[in-house]
Amino acid sequence: MLAAVLLPYLLAPFYRTGHPTSALMAWRYLKGAPVLRQWVDLAMMAPALPRSVVASEDAKFCSHRGVDWGALREVIDDAEDGEVSRGGSTITQQVAKNLFLWPGRSVVRKALELPLALWIDFVLPKARILEIYLNIAELGPGGQFGAQTASLYAFGHGASMLTPREAALLAATLPNPHLRSARNPVPGVRRLAGIYVARAQAQELQRCWAENRAF
């Protein structure tokens, strides 16, 4: 049991390079379900994509150290008040979950996820964390993982050619591309995409891009 808990901490530093797969991808392989993924380096993606995803998923990505404690406290307060949880996971937490843990809501999983996210932020550069996320996130309804395959499925061209609007539509499918489609977006998805296009221009995120030239 202890070895299983410690294994992600041993593996994470080695993910500075390579093309890791997620636990969900591995599970789908084992079941014989389709897994479609073409790795694409962050530098080869249209800049609008990482910017839209950060704007939609984790606006403080550049400033926190793996966990956004303020957002997490708000989620806990909402739960105590009986409100529906909005989710407070950072991109780094999602990388920790996708690489090493399992989907769904669980106190045990969250307890494992938080320190692992802190460790991943410590051993991997921000740009690499974002690159891994954009290559392992589920972004299509038929086993499409990662930006390249999702872009080809939704728009017929690769991630390097995404427009700001298309990038925002992909971001709007998160976290459930089975219910939200970038290929055939309903008005709600289009509305979200418009919000994310505007958020990507916010002053705080502009500082993030300036400080992290790799984005």
Side-chain angles (χ1 to χ4, degrees):
M1 180 63 180
L2 181 60
V5 171
L6 293 179
L7 183 60
Y9 292 86
L10 298 176
L11 292 177
F14 293 97
Y15 286 167
R16 293 179 71 94
T17 60
H19 300 165
T21 60
S22 70
L24 178 58
M25 292 167 67
W27 178 241
R28 287 179 66 91
Y29 278 126
L30 290 174
K31 293 195 303 179
V35 175
L36 307 171
R37 198 275 295 272
Q38 299 178 39
W39 183 279
V40 59
D41 292 343
L42 188 64
M44 299 304 295
M45 298 179 194
L49 181 60
R51 296 180 183 192
S52 292
V53 169
V54 169
S56 68
E57 294 289 288
D58 187 2
K60 296 183 179 179
F61 176 70
C62 288
S63 58
H64 66 63
R65 303 311 305 169
V67 176
D68 184 346
W69 296 109
L72 188 60
R73 280 194 295 271
E74 289 179 9
V75 170
I76 294 172
D77 290 342
D78 288 347
E80 290 177 346
D81 293 339
E83 299 179 16
V84 176
S85 175
R86 297 171 291 108
S89 292
T90 65
I91 286 174
T92 314
Q93 286 175 252
Q94 293 180 58
V95 167
K97 179 194 72 175
N98 290 346
L99 285 178
F100 302 116
L101 303 173
W102 60 92
R105 296 188 177 187
S106 163
V107 173
V108 173
R109 197 211 72 200
K110 187 63 70 174
L112 294 172
E113 176 187 296
L114 292 175
L116 184 54
L118 296 173
W119 175 247
I120 288 173
D121 187 88
F122 179 71
V123 299
L124 298 181
K126 290 283 188 182
R128 178 59 176 171
I129 293 170
L130 192 54
E131 181 176 74
I132 291 173
Y133 180 69
L134 290 170
N135 278 284
I136 65 173
E138 189 178 15
L139 286 167
Q144 291 89 4
F145 289 84
Q148 181 75 353
T149 304
S151 180
L152 289 168
Y153 169 78
F155 309 115
H157 55 72
S160 65
M161 299 176 63
L162 287 169
T163 67
R165 179 68 174 175
E166 290 170 341
L169 283 170
L170 282 181
T173 68
L174 296 165
N176 194 334
H178 298 275
L179 296 179
R180 301 177 183 178
S181 172
R183 187 175 186 173
N184 299 297
V186 298
V189 171
R190 293 197 295 269
R191 184 171 60 253
L192 281 175
I195 293 171
Y196 298 154
V197 169
R199 282 185 185 176
Q201 304 304 315
Q203 185 176 5
E204 180 179 355
L205 292 182
Q206 290 302 313
R207 287 197 298 270
C208 175
W209 316 140
E211 294 167 0
N212 296 272
R213 300 293 184 181
F215 295 9

